[in-house]
Amino acid sequence: MKRITMIGDVGWSRFYHLGDEAMTEMALDALNQRGGIEVTLIAGEPAHASEMYGVKAIPRIGFKRNRPPNITRMERVLEFARTEGASGGLAPGDPAIRVIEAVRSSDAVLIAGGGNLNSMFAHHIYERVTLGRIAQLFGKPYALTSQTLGPLIYDEDRKLVYEFLADAEFLGSREGYTTKFAKQVGGKRAVIRRQVDDAFSLEARDSDRDDVSDLTNEPFILASYAEKASSPVLSDSRYHEILTEITRRLADETGLKVLLVPHGGGFPPAQHTRDQIANAQIAEEIGRDRVEPTRMLTARQLVALTERAEFVIGTRYHAGIFAGAAAVPFISVVPNLYSSIRMRGAAENVGMEQFVLPIESIDDIVDTGVGLAENRSTFHEVLKESSVRRREEHRDWWDFVVAHTVGDESGVKPDASSVPAPGFFHAEEITNGFGTELEANRARLAAIESYGLLLAKRDRQLAVARREAHEATRALDRSEARHQRQDDMTIVKFARSARKLQRRLKRSARRALNHAPAAIAPRSE
């Protein structure tokens, strides 16, 4: 039995992030299908994750968003692993100890899909880098699958990311941007392979289709919106207004029901949160029976629902992933830098890049939606070919992953030539003949990315400058306080010396008076 320790951004009882869960769930499926592999999953809440996925689960090492304490924690964890607990100072119940033990007893480490190698989430970078270094200490290979790199890698994180990518067996890139950026950040040693997002091959079961049958009794548009814009140039209130207008117009102009499906939310008994709250607000403001917020669905249930949609629209990245896999036409609506990079890459993988539109191109978004609804069968046939070929590649991809991490049943790992990474065919671009501003929309998307990067870098520089100014101010305050204490001590010492001198003088005067000759005593008359 081969053993893999795998980390996924999954496993919370009060919050379900559908896309992240889907990638990890599909990775578990792929490993199980290849047989003879036991997985230990590193997750947010191990007991909950274990119940969900039927595998052994352990907690994360645990890092925070601030880098100085993260550096200290990483060094202590690695020292503990290096010395087999002789130093490092980890308490007996520290979750890092369980991770160290899991990696030591594994044959390989796998970092499941996501966009966690991003300086906006420093705790995720340190979690994964530390996991990779533990693997290296024990001579275990580690690899990454279904990744988006960046787009923000700050200067203070570059060395960490460079070494992490350079020492990995390989990195699976889910879009062209990451393929290019990884070569810049990871150097010549980094082995980058192109693939589709791992959630692409997640399959619905008959039970999942039964679970959503109450939502499919009439033709519908499937809409999945993130709860906020996450943009420095688009307010959340304006974002909400635009989504409300787009949804209202699609319902009115197509005559179709619109199902608002959350990708981030909670299952009962957890309270509604994030997308669930935003969807309810949109539906209430529109006030149409044809616009309906749905309950929280599992990833497999959403795959089942997507199969039945007339088309899919969303600011959620994985809405397009599920649609492309099901050969259902889709529109990806871009509010920010991160969305643009991921959505354009995902759409390109199935030829739908002309259907990635900036959020403020409202008329083009609605016109494109109406066109897709009227021509669904045509788009379905074209997308089916891409979907079938991508799934075939994806099966080959997971053969590659297993072969280059744990090897065959006898543990023999092949050389790169015997089980090479699968090819990645170029999907022909599908024309969007419904919008009127194709070139303008492309320019807007490029501007979102360029301006977003510029603002992010500026904000980072300002944050660093503020931190340095704060540290300099604290150092100055400490220096002034130290000098003040020194000055105070000088005064105190002087006062003490003066009092001692005064006491000595008094004692001397008394002695002199006591020993004075009688001759100088006052005479009586």
Side-chain angles (χ1 to χ4, degrees):
M1 177 71 71
K2 296 298 176 183
R3 294 182 176 88
I4 286 180
T5 296
M6 182 169 72
I7 185 170
D9 197 8
V10 300
W12 287 272
S13 58
R14 296 180 179 273
F15 180 70
Y16 184 80
H17 195 296
L18 195 146
D20 287 334
E21 301 278 353
M23 287 183 288
T24 298
E25 188 166 6
M26 190 276 151
L28 290 169
D29 281 356
L31 295 173
N32 289 334
Q33 289 164 6
R34 280 149 185 84
I37 299 174
E38 180 182 283
V39 177
T40 297
L41 180 63
I42 301 174
E45 296 175 31
H48 180 71
S50 183
E51 182 179 354
M52 285 184 67
Y53 297 120
V55 297
K56 179 183 178 181
I58 59 175
R60 296 174 171 192
I61 296 170
F63 288 91
K64 302 182 183 301
R65 291 182 180 270
N66 295 326
R67 287 167 177 80
N70 283 346
I71 293 171
T72 301
R73 172 124 176 96
M74 180 173 67
E75 290 173 346
R76 291 179 61 195
V77 170
L78 294 176
E79 180 64 15
F80 189 93
R82 185 182 300 110
T83 63
E84 298 185 351
S87 61
L90 300 186
D94 194 305
I97 297 175
R98 294 187 65 185
V99 173
I100 291 169
E101 292 171 348
V103 174
R104 180 189 282 113
S105 62
S106 293
D107 296 289
V109 170
L110 188 63
I111 289 86
N116 294 309
L117 292 176
N118 186 331
S119 289
M120 298 294 289
F121 316 115
H123 55 301
H124 288 317
I125 290 181
Y126 278 90
E127 187 80 37
R128 283 150 180 78
V129 169
T130 305
L131 184 60
R133 291 189 177 180
I134 294 171
Q136 281 188 291
L137 285 174
F138 298 135
K140 314 292 185 178
Y142 68 90
L144 301 88
T145 183
S146 190
Q147 296 290 315
T148 292
L149 182 62
L152 299 173
I153 302 293
Y154 298 149
D155 290 343
E156 57 262 55
D157 297 328
R158 279 192 172 251
K159 187 173 185 294
L160 281 177
V161 174
Y162 170 86
E163 293 176 351
F164 182 55
L165 298 183
D167 293 330
E169 286 289 300
F170 56 82
L171 174 141
S173 160
R174 60 187 183 180
E175 71 275 309
Y177 176 89
T178 291
T179 303
K180 181 178 179 180
F181 193 29
K183 291 178 180 177
Q184 297 174 3
V185 179
K188 294 181 179 179
R189 286 165 49 199
V191 179
I192 302 108
R193 298 285 184 261
R194 186 70 185 272
Q195 63 162 126
V196 291
D197 184 285
D198 278 336
F200 194 93
S201 294
L202 187 70
E203 295 182 348
R205 301 161 299 205
D206 289 341
S207 59
D208 300 308
R209 296 182 179 92
D210 291 340
D211 289 339
V212 298
S213 60
D214 62 308
L215 300 172
T216 62
N217 50 16
E218 63 178 288
F220 63 92
I221 300 166
L222 194 160
S224 291
Y225 303 137
E227 82 278 12
K228 58 184 179 180
S230 299
S231 168
V233 295
L234 179 66
S235 69
D236 288 343
S237 59
R238 177 57 181 157
Y239 169 78
H240 183 89
E241 290 173 5
I242 293 173
L243 292 183
T244 302
E245 180 180 351
I246 289 171
T247 306
R248 178 189 297 113
R249 288 182 57 183
L250 285 174
D252 290 345
E253 296 183 32
T254 65
L256 294 169
K257 188 174 187 176
V258 181
L259 297 180
L260 301 174
V261 182
H263 279 221
F267 290 108
Q271 294 183 343
H272 283 190
T273 184
R274 295 180 62 170
D275 294 10
Q276 293 168 303
I277 295 172
N279 288 348
Q281 292 172 343
I282 290 172
E284 182 178 1
E285 290 179 21
I286 293 174
R288 306 276 202 281
D289 291 339
R290 292 199 306 278
V291 178
E292 176 186 338
T294 75
R295 60 189 177 274
M296 192 72 213
L297 304 177
T298 68
R300 292 188 195 274
Q301 289 169 347
L302 181 53
V303 170
L305 188 64
T306 301
E307 294 170 350
R308 298 289 302 276
E310 296 301 301
F311 72 89
V312 171
I313 182 171
T315 60
R316 281 291 188 184
Y317 161 73
H318 274 97
I321 296 295
F322 294 131
V328 172
F330 62 93
I331 304 169
S332 292
V333 179
V334 173
N336 57 52
L337 159 69
Y338 191 38
S339 295
S340 181
I341 287 172
R342 295 187 301 160
M343 288 174 168
R344 293 174 81 177
E348 180 186 354
N349 290 343
V350 292
M352 290 288 285
E353 53 262 59
Q354 290 189 23
F355 296 81
V356 180
L357 301 173
I359 191 169
E360 294 186 317
S361 297
I362 300 173
D363 289 339
D364 268 13
I365 292 171
V366 174
D367 290 344
T368 298
V370 173
L372 291 179
E374 293 173 349
N375 297 274
R376 182 193 190 276
S377 59
T378 301
F379 282 91
H380 177 70
E381 289 304 314
V382 176
L383 287 168
K384 187 187 297 183
E385 181 181 352
S386 293
S387 175
V388 169
R389 291 189 64 181
R390 289 292 181 226
R391 287 178 185 271
E392 290 173 350
E393 287 177 352
H394 208 200
R395 285 192 291 272
D396 292 341
W397 166 259
W398 276 96
D399 289 340
F400 170 84
V401 170
V402 171
H404 286 259
T405 53
V406 296
D408 59 22
E409 292 182 1
S410 62
V412 176
K413 288 176 58 179
D415 58 35
S417 60
S418 61
V419 185
F424 198 82
F425 86 93
H426 174 73
E428 292 297 324
E429 188 172 348
I430 302 170
T431 300
N432 180 355
F434 312 116
T436 60
E437 298 184 334
L438 177 61
E439 293 305 319
N441 287 331
R442 283 178 169 169
R444 289 184 187 121
L445 291 174
I448 287 173
E449 292 181 17
S450 299
Y451 195 51
L453 278 171
L454 182 66
L455 287 179
K457 291 177 180 177
R458 184 210 63 181
D459 290 346
R460 181 58 185 169
Q461 290 170 348
L462 289 174
V464 170
R466 284 195 294 268
R467 185 189 67 200
E468 291 175 347
H470 179 67
E471 291 174 352
T473 300
R474 290 183 61 191
L476 181 61
D477 290 344
R478 287 194 299 268
S479 177
E480 290 179 347
R482 185 169 59 253
H483 288 138
Q484 182 63 49
R485 287 195 299 271
Q486 291 173 347
D487 291 343
D488 291 345
M489 287 303 298
T490 300
I491 294 171
V492 169
K493 288 178 180 178
F494 179 79
R496 288 174 178 170
S497 298
R499 284 197 293 272
K500 289 180 181 178
L501 178 61
Q502 187 178 37
R503 286 195 294 270
R504 285 199 299 270
L505 290 173
K506 286 182 178 179
R507 286 196 297 271
S508 297
R510 282 196 295 271
R511 284 197 299 270
L513 184 61
N514 291 335
H515 294 89
I520 64 171
R523 290 183 297 178
S524 59
E525 294 296 333

